[in-house]
Amino acid sequence: NTNHYGFVKIFGEKVVPVNSFRLSYNYFILMEMGQRDWEKEMQMRLLNQKYYSEYELYQIINQLVKTLSLMQKNKVSHRDVKPQNVLIMEGIYKICDFGEARIIDGDGMVVQHVRGSQLFMSPILFYAYNHHISQVLHNSYKSDVFSLGMCVLLAANLSGYILYDIR
């Protein structure tokens, strides 16, 4: 519920029963449409061999860090930061897909089920995932920042191999 430039705007929503028994529902959200997500942007750049300049990366990082900072100030952790969850709209990078987002009380330390995309998980979540540990105590805000760092590393190289090498 904000007008911050870093979030996709939601114009309305509607819940519609799927059947007459009203046991299941479809949930529709009318929202701002992005030109593409950051992953598709990186794929296009790789195809055209058009790497990001340092200035471009700085601008992207600046926009996304400000958005994550606002979320943290409002005690919200995204918990699934990855290029597919960043939409680009006229040069503005906006965080979307808050399906895994949660309100986090206190300093960010939570016990949570391991969620997220493996390549972008923080080390503690990645370790838990690989060792079949279903819940882990960690700082959810720091995990979001780590995930953003992995996204930026991917953007700087335009190659997923670097993420696999790190893992």
Side-chain angles (χ1 to χ4, degrees), residues 14 26 29 34 39 41 48 50 64 73 91 101-102 115 119 126 145 165-166:
K14 185 168 184 150
N26 284 331
I29 300 173
E39 179 185 42
E41 172 74 12
N48 297 319
K50 187 176 188 269
L64 294 174
K73 285 178 187 167
R102 296 291 177 267
R115 300 245 193 264
L119 284 178
F126 188 74
V145 172
D165 288 347
I166 289 171

Side-chain angles (χ1 to χ4, degrees), residues 15-28:
V15 178
V16 179
V18 173
N19 54 44
S20 59
F21 300 111
R22 298 178 189 259
L23 298 175
S24 58
Y25 300 87
N26 284 331
Y27 189 70
F28 297 94

Side-chain angles (χ1 to χ4, degrees), residues 118-120 126 150 153-154 159-167:
Q118 294 174 46
L119 284 178
F120 302 97
F126 188 74
M150 293 295 276
L153 181 60
L154 179 61
S159 171
Y161 294 120
I162 187 117
L163 301 184
Y164 289 104
D165 288 347
I166 289 171
R167 294 303 180 189

Side-chain angles (χ1 to χ4, degrees), residues 15-129:
V15 178
V16 179
V18 173
N19 54 44
S20 59
F21 300 111
R22 298 178 189 259
L23 298 175
S24 58
Y25 300 87
N26 284 331
Y27 189 70
F28 297 94
I29 300 173
L30 180 60
M31 60 188 233
E32 186 176 24
M33 186 172 144
Q35 294 153 320
R36 65 189 149 279
D37 66 36
W38 196 12
E39 179 185 42
K40 287 185 180 59
E41 172 74 12
M42 285 189 246
Q43 289 171 353
M44 288 173 46
R45 282 178 171 263
L46 179 60
L47 186 66
N48 297 319
Q49 293 293 299
K50 187 176 188 269
Y51 291 88
Y52 288 97
S53 69
E54 287 180 30
Y55 180 77
E56 288 173 310
L57 286 173
Y58 170 78
Q59 292 299 319
I60 295 166
I61 293 166
N62 190 40
Q63 290 176 29
L64 294 174
V65 165
K66 284 181 179 177
T67 304
L68 284 178
S69 177
L70 178 63
M71 290 173 62
Q72 184 175 344
K73 285 178 187 167
N74 286 284
K75 300 183 185 277
V76 176
S77 177
H78 189 278
R79 301 187 334 153
D80 194 20
V81 176
K82 59 186 178 183
Q84 297 94 328
N85 290 340
V86 175
L87 295 180
I88 304 169
M89 299 176 191
E90 299 177 14
I92 305 296
Y93 287 70
K94 298 186 176 202
I95 295 177
C96 66
D97 191 354
F98 288 85
E100 294 294 333
R102 296 291 177 267
I103 295 173
I104 308 291
D105 289 326
D107 62 358
M109 293 299 290
V110 293
V111 175
Q112 76 172 48
H113 290 281
V114 177
R115 300 245 193 264
S117 301
Q118 294 174 46
L119 284 178
F120 302 97
M121 283 180 178
S122 67
I124 194 166
L125 291 176
F126 188 74
Y127 177 88
Y129 178 85

